[in-house]
Each structure stands twice: as structure tokens, then as C-alpha cells.
Amino acid sequence: MTVKIDNNFVRRWAREKPGKVREARDSNLKGFLIRQQKSGSIAYFVSIHRGSAVRRQRRIKVGEHPITGPSEARRNAEKKLAEARLGQLADNDPTMPFGQFLDEKYLPWMRENLKDPKAQEDHVRRNFDQWRNFHLDEISRELIDNWRAKRRQSGASASTINRNISVIKAILSKAVEWDQIKFHPLAGLKPLRVDKNKPIRTLSDDERQRLFDTLAARDEELKAKRRSCNDWRRQRRYNLYPELTFFGDHLTPIVMTAYHTGMRRGEILSLKWEDIDFGRAQLLVRGETSKTAQSRVIPLNDQLAEILKNWREQSEECTGHVFPAPDGGRMDKLRNSWTSLRKRAGLMDFRFHDLRADFASRLVNSGVSLPVAQRLLGHSSPVITMKFYAAVSNDNLRQAVAAAAVTV
């Protein structure tokens, strides 16, 4: 099909999903064409013939809709055609393999610039390692659309898929910024729709008690195992392991810190002893470890202060990370112990991040003002606090409806 490739034509195509790949060639510029995938994504190409004995055709992408308009794509095509006529067009224009780009460029940059690089690196490898052998310019809108559809069919939520897509978009944005590719293939890709009014997951009184009871039972079991192990070692005159005076391991102090402060997991795992002031009963969340890059002070209630003091006494540490990894650095792995805990407590649908939502809802339902809740949670705007965390209890809703009732 030969048409005039202009804004009107592109807008008409953009409103359609053809069901199969289709192309149209420009009536004014020979070699300039537009191609639409089954998903509806649109790209511009220029077709260049080369070689005298055998005419070989080469296609070069010169833009993607909507980031590139037809006029700009036409200029890019004219430039490529001129370079070809002058013999200045390289025989090939290879892009770096995606895996090589990750290993040599993006992951080193990420380790130096992101707050939680280990978790981000695990996320990248877990979700995108399947494309390691793809060249960067082969990661297309159609590829992502198909991957997204398969993820939906496998049961992944729209929110999870959107988070995955935001990561791959960030990687490709760096590829554009560092001149590895000319156009962002996912520019204009809209996120999946999510239910923004979905009820916030908080703990009922019964669930809260089950969580606390399960933590306590787990601690007692781990302490009993340590005593049994030391009895065995004592009989053989081996060196004994330190006694577990208060807790079985780090899990109870971490969970209770989240429960009493609403801190994010990354903020808790980055917490250092010098950030905790027991004299003033407060702790400092440093900007370099916070999602919003803003420092904030959170008061300690008596219960949490006692828990952290007991943890400090048991761990015999007064410096460094409050919850260190075995090598003394920042702990990165919490998934296995948390998953085991919530399974045992019968709370499989309760995520660690939901402790933050539960804390926020307890603040709001206790009458704490929105600005105070925002400050404690470290949100950049009170709108975020309302939108994502301020879950009003059903009792409060019933009271509001009863107050508005008109007696007939």
C-alpha cells in the first residue's frame, strides 16, 4: 500500500489494532515506510538497497510513534538515504546485547546510584534474564505487550506488572541516554489499569494477635533449639554458641519495628545504631535510605524502645547496622523468613509492606491529623497518604452514615 505518511494517516492507524502486521510506503519519499504491529504499536523505517551484483535490502528504524512524528521520521529517513548515496552509511549498525548492557553498564551504575541495589538487581535478573541474548533494538513494543499478556494469564496482578514495566522502561531510558539506542521503544506505553479504590489490607484484631503469638512461639522454638545445641556441644567440650536471651533471630525485632513505626522495609534494613537515640526515644530515617530522599524523625514508643534495647543486648552490637547480614553489611534477604511466618500465622495474603498500611490506618482511626500521619510515614504529599494508606475503619464509616441519617 502506498500512501502519504502524515499526521492524519498516523492518527488513523494509531486508533486501530489490525490483528496482523501491516505496512504502508510513502508516496513522496522512496524507501520511507511505516509498520504497525498486531498490538497496535507503530514504527517508521527506511529501506535501503545496496550491492551491485545482488540487490540486498536493509531496513533501518528511524522513529517510533508517538515519540517521533512523521515529519521528523521523514527527515531521519532522508538523512540515512543521503548517507547511503555518499557511501557514509555503515554496513551494519549493531546494538549491544541486552545482557551485555546490563552487566557492563546498567548494573554497575545501579549499584552506585540506587538505595537498594541488591534487591533491584535480583528483580532485574528474575524478570528480564530471558532477554539477555536480544540486542537492545530487538526489545520492541510488541515483545513487551506479548510478555505482559502472558504475565496476566499466569495470574500476576496489574500492579505487579506495572512495576515490572517501570523497571524495564528505566533500563531502556538509560540506553537512550547513553546513546546505545536512538529511540525508546516503550515511549507512550500506558500502564495497565488498576483498582485504585481496592480496600487497603490491614490487620483485624484476631489477625494481629495471631501474628504476635506466632512470632513469640517461633522465638521460643529457636531459643530451645539453641539450648539443645549448646547442651550437645558442652558434653563434647566444644565452644558454645551465644545464648538467645530475648529473640530467636532478627525477625521479631524487624516486624515489630515495622508495626510500631510504619517504616519501609528498606529503611528498616538500612537502620544503624547511631540513628537510634534512646535518650530522646526517637530514631532517624536518613534521606539516603528513604524512598523520597528526605530525612525524618520517628518517636519510639515504650514497647518498641524495649524491643530494640533487648535486641542490642542480645546482639552485643552498638555500632553498624541494627539488623546486619552475616558479613556485617546491610541485610538484603527477608523474603523466606517472612513468607514462613505469615504462612504459619495464616496470613498468606498479608505482605510485609501491609504493616505500613496497618500503621497508617491505626494513626488515622485514632484521630491523628493527616499532616502528622504524612510526616511519620515520610510521604511527599498528603494526597499520597490519603490515596494509598488512610483506610478508614468500617466502624467509623457506620458512625458517619448514622450521623447523616434523617429521621422521617
Side-chain angles (χ1 to χ4, degrees), residues 335-347:
R335 180 187 298 270
N336 291 341
S337 56
W338 170 253
T339 300
S340 176
L341 173 70
R342 64 179 186 170
K343 181 178 181 180
R344 183 172 171 178
L347 298 171

Side-chain angles (χ1 to χ4, degrees), residues 280-324:
R280 296 182 179 179
Q282 64 184 32
L283 63 80
L284 172 66
V285 178
R286 297 186 180 274
E288 56 265 29
T289 68
S290 173
K291 181 180 179 180
T292 57
Q294 302 297 314
S295 298
R296 70 183 189 278
V297 173
I298 302 177
L300 298 177
N301 59 31
D302 293 341
Q303 187 175 354
L304 180 57
E306 182 180 1
I307 289 172
L308 292 176
K309 287 177 181 177
N310 290 342
W311 175 246
R312 182 178 63 173
E313 179 181 337
Q314 178 175 310
S315 60
E316 299 180 347
E317 294 289 344
C318 295
T319 60
H321 287 89
V322 177
F323 306 108

Side-chain angles (χ1 to χ4, degrees), residues 226-243:
R226 176 60 60 87
R227 287 193 297 269
S228 176
C229 178
N230 277 340
D231 289 342
W232 184 90
R233 297 178 70 86
R234 189 178 294 109
Q235 293 172 7
R236 290 157 180 78
R237 297 184 179 181
Y238 294 163
N239 291 331
L240 303 182
Y241 293 127
E243 289 293 335

Side-chain angles (χ1 to χ4, degrees), residues 350-364:
F350 191 78
R351 306 168 302 161
F352 188 89
H353 195 72
D354 291 331
L355 289 167
R356 180 169 164 82
D358 185 75
F359 174 77
S361 67
R362 283 183 279 121
L363 289 179
V364 175

Side-chain angles (χ1 to χ4, degrees), residues 354-385:
D354 291 331
L355 289 167
R356 180 169 164 82
D358 185 75
F359 174 77
S361 67
R362 283 183 279 121
L363 289 179
V364 175
N365 289 323
S366 297
V368 174
S369 67
L370 190 60
V372 173
Q374 174 200 348
R375 188 169 177 180
L376 288 171
L377 291 164
H379 289 147
S380 57
S381 165
V383 175
I384 300 175
T385 311

